[in-house]
Amino acid sequence: AFGDRSLSQGLSVLVGLALCVTMLGLGCAVELGQLGQQLRRPVGLLLALLGQFVAMPLLAFLLALIFALDEVAAVAVLLCGCCPGGNLSNLMSVLVDGDMNLSIIMTASSTLLALFLMPLCLWIYSRHWINTALVQLLPLGAVSLTLGSTLLPIGLGVLIRYRHPRAADLLVKISLWSLLVTLVILFILTGTMLGPDLLAHIPASVYAIAVLMPLAGYALGYGLATVFKMPPHCRRTVSLETGCQNVQLCTAILKLTFPPELIGSMYMFPLLYALFQSAEAGLFVLVYKVYGRDGYKQDTLGEEEDTDISYKKLKEEEVGDTSYGTVTAEEHNSVQMEPTQTAL
């Protein structure tokens, strides 16, 4: 069933279109002015580099070793771990009052860095399974070509944002909805047409990794932001950025670069990862809304009160400074006060 040519071609077209729409939406979310500010202080770029191409590939490699995966499952897990950040993190960052500029810059920069670093990470971490047929056939050139093809919709999106901001806002929303719709369609198609085969061919260890990997990614991202001494709302943003992978890109690479008879049911791993990363991110948001929202409001209120107090002090100082003047002596021994204003 996994080698069904018509089914394979249909799924390839679907994931290819979904990837283009997602990358277009990502480009539409990038503003050139914000990009310039982030490049002058490249904290977001550095965090994207460490989170997506150091922490997550290493985590995927260790999980594959711990659960003793075969070469097919290991390649699927490694590929997902080496992918850049996904658009889901941008949506979730809004829900937890995160730093949207940081979120978008991290997603965009990790996508651009993936063009060079993703094939490198795959080559490094697949050495453990080098003697297997699948790893020997690992199409690093095709992976790079797929990544390169994503630059065109991203560039087009940036141009649309620059020329037509309102249209760009609409395309961002469309891309987020297309992400959800595509995942639902893929689950329905593969579940109804390949349901028994999927249950028979996907081992329990793969399900366990799909649960643990995004959860560990969220924790690693939060710890990484804590090391950089970032404020709480930025820590939440980095956490979501690290744990949310671009599952559309991972699915596209698995479908477009590997023969279906070799990759088999493992093309479903990024879909499983998407399911659990969404559920765990939803729990993240729920916990924040229940327990963290009041603290966020108090912090914001405190900042506003400090601003008001400072402003009042400044006004008092201005009044005090304008109450003094200079004394000048004129004819007939008269004294006249000439008020002057001291410039702050």
Side-chain angles (χ1 to χ4, degrees):
F2 298 116
D4 188 333
R5 187 173 299 275
S6 60
L7 175 61
S8 178
Q9 290 177 349
L11 292 176
S12 298
V13 171
L14 179 62
V15 297
L17 290 175
L19 180 62
C20 289
V21 174
T22 300
M23 293 298 101
L24 179 64
L26 176 60
C28 288
V30 177
E31 294 186 5
L32 295 178
Q34 296 174 356
L35 183 61
Q37 293 176 3
Q38 291 292 333
L39 291 177
R40 286 191 291 270
R41 298 182 60 189
V43 178
L45 180 64
L46 179 60
L47 289 171
L49 173 65
L50 294 177
Q52 299 296 348
F53 302 109
V54 176
M56 291 305 292
L58 179 60
L59 173 64
F61 175 72
L62 293 176
L63 288 174
L65 288 182
I66 291 171
F67 285 91
L69 298 183
D70 60 54
E71 68 275 12
V72 177
V75 166
V77 171
L78 285 174
L79 188 60
C80 191
C82 296
C83 277
N87 287 39
L88 178 66
S89 59
N90 307 138
L91 175 62
M92 292 299 178
S93 294
V94 174
L95 299 178
V96 296
D97 299 310
D99 188 333
M100 276 306 298
N101 289 337
L102 177 62
S103 177
I104 292 171
I105 290 299
M106 286 187 67
T107 303
S109 59
S110 67
T111 302
L112 296 178
L113 288 171
L115 183 63
F116 308 100
L117 295 180
M118 188 176 176
L120 177 62
C121 290
L122 286 172
W123 181 82
I124 291 173
Y125 289 108
S126 65
R127 298 300 91 190
H128 182 77
W129 297 274
I130 190 61
N131 292 325
T132 61
L134 186 64
V135 174
Q136 289 178 351
L137 294 174
L138 187 62
L140 297 179
V143 171
S144 299
L145 182 61
T146 304
L147 288 168
S149 65
T150 63
L151 297 180
L152 180 60
I154 291 176
L156 179 60
V158 173
L159 180 62
I160 293 174
R161 165 62 65 180
Y162 180 73
R163 295 284 184 87
H164 309 285
R166 291 185 179 179
D169 292 334
L170 179 62
L171 288 173
V172 169
K173 295 178 182 179
I174 292 175
S175 69
L176 291 174
W177 280 107
S178 71
L179 166 63
L180 300 177
V181 172
T182 302
L183 292 177
V184 171
I185 292 176
L186 286 175
F187 272 117
I188 293 175
L189 286 178
T190 54
T192 55
M193 302 179 74
L194 303 176
D197 289 334
L198 287 176
L199 294 177
H201 287 81
I202 298 180
S205 58
V206 172
Y207 285 97
I209 291 177
V211 174
L212 294 175
M213 193 167 155
L215 191 62
Y218 295 141
L220 286 172
Y222 198 90
L224 186 62
T226 303
V227 170
F228 278 79
K229 298 181 180 180
M230 304 189 76
H233 70 291
C234 290
R235 295 180 188 179
R236 296 191 294 270
T237 303
V238 176
S239 174
L240 290 168
E241 280 293 326
T242 305
C244 290
Q245 305 298 97
N246 191 334
V247 292
Q248 304 99 305
L249 178 61
C250 184
T251 304
I253 291 175
L254 286 174
K255 287 297 299 175
L256 300 177
T257 61
F258 288 97
E261 60 272 11
L262 284 180
I263 199 65
S265 62
M266 282 303 105
Y267 87 91
M268 281 293 294
F269 178 77
L271 301 180
L272 294 176
Y273 188 95
L275 175 65
F276 290 112
Q277 81 172 4
S278 302
E280 291 164 6
L283 290 176
F284 191 128
V285 173
L286 180 61
V287 170
Y288 171 73
K289 294 295 186 182
V290 174
Y291 296 102
R293 185 72 180 178
D294 292 338
Y296 172 78
K297 289 182 177 180
Q298 290 175 2
D299 292 341
T300 305
L301 182 60
E303 292 176 0
E304 293 175 353
E305 291 175 353
D306 291 342
T307 303
D308 291 340
I309 292 173
S310 300
Y311 178 75
K312 290 177 182 178
K313 289 182 178 179
L314 180 61
K315 294 300 291 181
E316 291 173 358
E317 291 174 1
E318 289 178 354
V319 173
D321 288 337
T322 58
S323 62
Y324 296 98
T326 59
V327 179
T328 60
E330 295 185 352
E331 296 179 353
H332 308 295
N333 297 325
S334 63
V335 178
Q336 181 177 357
M337 296 290 293
E338 293 181 1
T340 60
Q341 183 173 355
T342 303
L344 291 178

